[in-house]
Amino acid sequence: MAERILVVDDEREIADLVKVYLENEGFVVETFCDGAHALARVNDAAAPPLDLAVLDIMMPGCDGFELCRKIRESQTFPVIMLTAKGEEVDKVRGLALGADDYVTKPFLPLELVARVKAQLRRYKRYDAQGAGSEDEGATAKAGDVLVHAGLVMDVPAHTCTLNERPLALTPTEFSILRILLEANGAVVSARELYCRIFGDAYYERGSGSITVHIRHLREKMGDAFEDPAYIKTVWGCGYKIER
């Protein structure tokens, strides 16, 4: 069954253009020009389930930030934000509200299509972990549990605790933490993290998202930025969890 994509942009021309490119790839696309009607669609239990949302930030009424926040109250499907060029604060805020990735306007339609495909691949692998399938190139099988200094990650169950306290991680945060744990103390570059998680070639345009996701991980773990106990930054190289 074809994946169903929600596209929300108050510029009808952009929404229609994205719709054409996504439909050419076999997706079912529903477009809306305002956040309020899009949110009603998200909350419509009688409608077919959505697999991904593409949200513009600047919209009248319920903007992309508010819509993303509302979606994250009940849904786990990937969210890609469309941000204005150079607005780094918008990217950070979107990711903080639960967005999985962002694309900067003006964008190449094929780049957005590639990001959509990458997010759907990751999301499907994330949901399939209960069956013991592979994720982000890792080789964990059902029953695998990663343990380090009070941090316990049950890969098949996709749960994680720190000193017996549950960590509410997004799929992207879970994937980053898993890759670092499986590296067993080796440094993993931001480029490698991005490419393994998102599986596309747009690292240079989206590399900042890894930094933001690492920051959120540290916040959820109570890991100090100045002297982190778990996720350490190796300047100019990447990140690692020391064993």
Side-chain angles (χ1 to χ4, degrees):
M1 183 179 296
E3 291 94 344
R4 187 172 295 269
I5 312 298
L6 177 73
V7 176
V8 190
D9 197 309
D10 64 335
E11 296 184 61
R12 171 56 69 181
E13 296 81 4
I14 293 180
D16 289 344
L17 178 65
V18 172
K19 178 182 174 73
V20 167
Y21 273 85
L22 290 174
E23 287 185 338
N24 284 341
E25 297 296 323
F27 298 113
V28 176
V29 182
E30 299 183 29
T31 60
F32 291 87
C33 290
D34 67 272
H37 286 91
L39 181 60
R41 167 61 181 90
V42 170
N43 293 331
D44 186 355
L50 298 166
D51 297 289
L52 183 143
V54 178
L55 311 179
D56 184 33
I57 289 179
M58 300 302 294
M59 295 186 293
C62 179
D63 63 15
F65 291 132
E66 179 67 11
L67 183 53
C68 180
R69 187 182 68 79
K70 292 287 188 181
I71 288 173
R72 279 292 171 258
E73 289 178 356
S74 61
Q75 305 291 335
T76 60
F77 57 71
V79 173
I80 298 176
M81 306 293 290
L82 300 180
T83 70
K85 184 176 181 180
E87 294 297 329
E88 192 68 28
V89 65
D90 285 348
K91 301 171 185 177
V92 172
R93 184 179 176 190
L95 293 170
L97 289 171
D100 297 275
D101 200 3
Y102 58 81
V103 173
T104 301
K105 289 183 174 181
F107 58 86
L108 297 174
L110 289 178
E111 175 185 349
L112 179 57
V113 170
R115 297 288 189 91
V116 166
K117 289 182 176 180
Q119 286 295 332
L120 288 172
R121 284 195 302 269
R122 181 191 56 78
Y123 184 58
K124 287 181 177 180
R125 288 196 297 264
Y126 180 86
D127 279 353
Q129 282 306 291
S133 62
E134 293 186 355
D135 181 29
E136 282 80 54
T139 57
K141 299 179 177 60
D144 278 8
V145 176
L146 303 172
V147 180
H148 171 67
L151 185 64
V152 180
M153 174 176 282
D154 187 326
V155 175
H158 264 260
T159 60
C160 190
T161 61
L162 179 58
N163 297 323
E164 301 185 352
R165 175 176 62 88
L167 296 177
L169 304 180
T170 67
T172 300
E173 291 166 353
F174 189 97
S175 297
I176 289 173
L177 189 56
R178 176 181 173 181
I179 291 171
L180 293 177
L181 284 169
E182 291 179 333
N184 200 32
V187 176
V188 183
S189 68
R191 176 185 291 275
E192 181 179 350
L193 285 168
Y194 187 88
C195 293
R196 288 181 62 182
I197 292 170
F198 297 111
D200 63 48
Y202 293 100
Y203 168 76
E204 296 303 334
R205 299 183 190 180
S207 59
S209 64
I210 293 296
T211 303
V212 176
H213 287 304
I214 290 286
R215 183 189 310 161
H216 295 158
L217 260 174
R218 284 173 170 157
E219 290 174 354
K220 291 180 179 182
M221 297 171 68
D223 213 10
F225 176 81
E226 297 80 7
D227 186 23
Y230 291 93
I231 302 175
K232 299 183 182 295
T233 300
V234 181
W235 297 108
C237 297
Y239 305 94
K240 67 176 180 178
I241 294 180
E242 289 184 339
R243 288 292 184 176

